[in-house]
Amino acid sequence: GQNIDQPTEMTATEGAIVQINCTYQTSGFNGLFWYQQHAGEAPTFLSYNVLDGLEEKGRFSSFLSRSKGYSYLLLKELQMKDSASYLCAVREPYNNNDMRFGAGTRLTVKP
Amino acid sequence: GAVVSQHPSWVICKSGTSVKIECRSLDFQATTMFWYRQFPKQSLMLMATSNEGSKATYEQGVEKDKFLINHASLTLSTLTVTSAHPEDSSFYICSARDLVARSSYEQYFGPGTRLTVT
């Protein structure tokens, strides 16, 4: 099994930068994902890291350190629509490479 | 892009009845489909993994006789909640991946089905 930990809730101000951390403990690793999920909707893909380092995609960046079992999602120039839950998920190298999700971080962006 | 649909998007049923949820990959063949359940303010919990033409693999604690999964074709998987109870009320989400034609990391989620058991 594996543990995937991320903060439960975070609050930030519109226009600011926020970093959402995720730590994981797993017997195997085949990639880490970040998803955004608005209430009552399915998750939407944000990023994928399989090698160490930073992946940048517009206002969103994701970082991975496999040796530390650590990732973060960085959101810049926050907008009100960024208020959502952000899910960290780790892919296992067995059982069809399915994903295990963290509990999610509920981000509230305030004006 | 790859699209996964679910039907119905929401359903209300009476306790003791069965409900079938369909998950379809619309523009690709899904060799593997995953079924998740999500309770309010909680994350997605994997229920089972299904491969086309074979029996589903259920996660620990998920009753395979209660949650029947059929992945009879490369574009359709169904989840049947049998003898539903109010505690089965949840948001059920499927996702699909094509290990053959697409990048190995891509996994596409359906829009989810909200089940309410009264």
Side-chain angles (χ1 to χ4, degrees), chain B residues 19-109:
Chain B
V19 174
K20 179 185 284 188
I21 302 170
E22 293 185 348
C23 176
R24 293 181 185 274
S25 56
L26 299 185
D27 54 356
F28 67 100
Q29 293 183 326
T31 51
T32 305
M33 286 185 170
F34 304 91
W35 287 96
Y36 295 86
R37 178 169 52 182
Q38 186 176 36
F39 293 105
K41 296 187 178 182
Q42 296 186 24
S43 191
L44 281 73
M45 297 298 295
L46 181 66
M47 299 177 66
T49 302
S50 71
N51 288 301
E52 184 267 337
S54 61
K55 290 184 178 180
T57 302
Y58 289 82
E59 294 300 301
Q60 192 173 8
V62 178
E63 301 174 57
K64 62 180 181 180
D65 294 331
K66 180 172 179 63
F67 299 97
L68 303 178
I69 292 173
N70 187 343
H71 192 161
S73 78
L74 287 173
T75 59
L76 174 64
S77 176
T78 60
L79 167 67
T80 301
V81 183
T82 63
S83 187
H85 291 283
E87 56 264 31
D88 297 325
S89 298
S90 188
F91 193 48
Y92 292 85
I93 304 174
C94 73
S95 71
R97 190 165 75 240
D98 182 349
L99 294 175
V100 177
R102 299 188 182 265
S103 296
S104 61
Y105 71 84
E106 294 187 63
Q107 189 165 327
Y108 307 98
F109 284 85

Side-chain angles (χ1 to χ4, degrees), chain A residues 40-82:
Chain A
E41 299 179 11
T44 54
F45 172 79
L46 290 178
S47 68
Y48 169 70
N49 295 71
V50 67
L51 299 176
D52 291 349
L54 186 69
E55 294 281 342
E56 297 186 80
K57 189 184 298 184
R59 294 190 298 116
F60 296 78
S61 302
S62 58
F63 171 83
L64 174 67
S65 170
R66 288 172 296 171
S67 62
K68 296 181 179 179
Y70 168 69
S71 173
Y72 67 73
L73 178 69
L74 193 71
L75 292 78
K76 303 176 185 176
E77 302 170 15
L78 281 173
Q79 302 174 11
M80 299 297 290
K81 67 178 182 179
D82 296 330

